């Protein structure tokens, strides 16, 4: 059963993509977004069920490896989305 729902393409203003860590498990860099004036990060906005968020958090190491934070993004029509 698919419980995630693709909402739209979205832009996170005033942030940049950074690879500030390393995963020994993946043997690769770990992506993050960091505050950055005059920059933005392009991405996709999904709506997730709470159960899917729990599974994602377990895979990603929340709350030990990272802290989840809600951010305001802009969709293709310039509307603010959360």
């Amino acid at each position: 059963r698919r419980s995630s729902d693709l909402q739209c393409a979205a832009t996170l203003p005033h942030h940049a993509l950074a690879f500030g860590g390393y995963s020994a498990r993946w043997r690769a860099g770990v992506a993050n977004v960091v505050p950055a004036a005059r920059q933005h990060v392009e991405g996709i906005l999904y709506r997730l069920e709470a159960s899917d968020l729990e599974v994602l958090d377990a895979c990603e190491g929340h709350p030990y490896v990272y802290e989840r934070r809600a951010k305001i993004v802009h969709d293709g029509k310039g509307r603010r989305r959360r």
Side-chain angles (χ1 to χ4, degrees):
R1 173 174 93 78
R2 190 180 110 197
S3 56
S4 64
D5 184 29
L6 174 64
Q7 297 291 295
C8 62
T11 302
L12 176 62
H14 311 296
H15 285 77
L17 183 62
F19 292 88
Y22 179 80
S23 170
R25 179 175 154 199
W26 299 326
R27 292 184 281 171
V30 178
N32 196 4
V33 292
V34 295
R38 297 180 300 277
Q39 295 190 42
H40 66 274
V41 177
E42 303 271 337
I44 302 293
L45 186 63
Y46 283 89
R47 180 174 307 280
L48 300 175
E49 297 290 332
S51 59
D52 290 326
L53 192 53
E54 289 174 10
V55 171
L56 181 62
D57 282 345
C59 290
E60 295 291 330
H62 175 72
Y64 307 106
V65 178
Y66 80 100
E67 178 182 331
R68 184 174 4 107
R69 294 185 184 171
K71 297 283 186 179
I72 300 295
V73 297
H74 298 126
D75 67 16
K77 296 181 180 179
R79 293 179 297 207
R80 293 166 46 100
R81 310 270 303 249
R82 182 174 172 167

